[in-house]
Amino acid sequence: MTKRIVLVDAAGMSISMLANKMNEAAQAEALDVTTIGVSDSAARDQIATDQPIVIMIAPQVKYMHQRYEDDYGKDYPVVDINMMDYCMMRGANILHAALDAERA
């Protein structure tokens, strides 16, 4: 069964590029993981549909972390994306941070 990770940011644009990097890293490591990047306004529907293993919050919307924790923290880990990894689009690092959070 494919594990799903949902990334959230304000508009869903740069986060989709990061999701692509994470998907490339997962494929290179033969991991059964799919990542999708969405805007905050689309996140609720995406989370209900995908039932992610982890919800990751982009640095520019870190202020939303508590709301996601309150709404989904009982079911899914909610993790802030490391700012440097986000800025450098280090998909593999962020993928492994998500997988570590899932295991915790």
Side-chain angles (χ1 to χ4, degrees):
M1 179 177 192
T2 301
K3 294 181 179 183
R4 302 196 185 285
I5 300 167
V6 173
L7 310 178
V8 180
D9 80 353
M13 296 173 80
S14 59
I15 206 79
S16 63
M17 292 188 301
L18 179 58
N20 288 338
K21 294 282 188 183
M22 292 173 68
N23 287 329
E24 289 170 8
Q27 186 176 20
E29 296 182 37
L31 298 173
D32 193 15
V33 177
T34 300
T35 304
I36 186 164
V38 297
S39 67
D40 175 53
S41 62
R44 188 170 302 278
D45 290 338
Q46 197 64 52
I47 292 166
T49 301
D50 275 350
Q51 299 182 341
I53 58 165
V54 178
I55 299 167
M56 300 190 84
I57 309 298
Q60 68 270 32
V61 293
K62 187 176 181 176
Y63 63 90
M64 294 181 188
H65 181 104
Q66 191 59 51
R67 178 169 47 97
Y68 279 88
E69 189 71 45
D70 293 345
D71 291 349
Y72 303 107
K74 291 178 184 153
D75 298 316
Y76 315 110
V78 177
V79 178
D80 291 328
I81 298 172
N82 176 281
M83 185 181 299
M84 187 58 72
D85 286 339
Y86 182 88
C87 292
M88 301 298 292
M89 290 283 157
R90 295 178 183 148
N93 288 3
I94 299 168
L95 172 66
H96 288 286
L99 295 175
D100 289 347
E102 182 228 359
R103 293 182 196 117

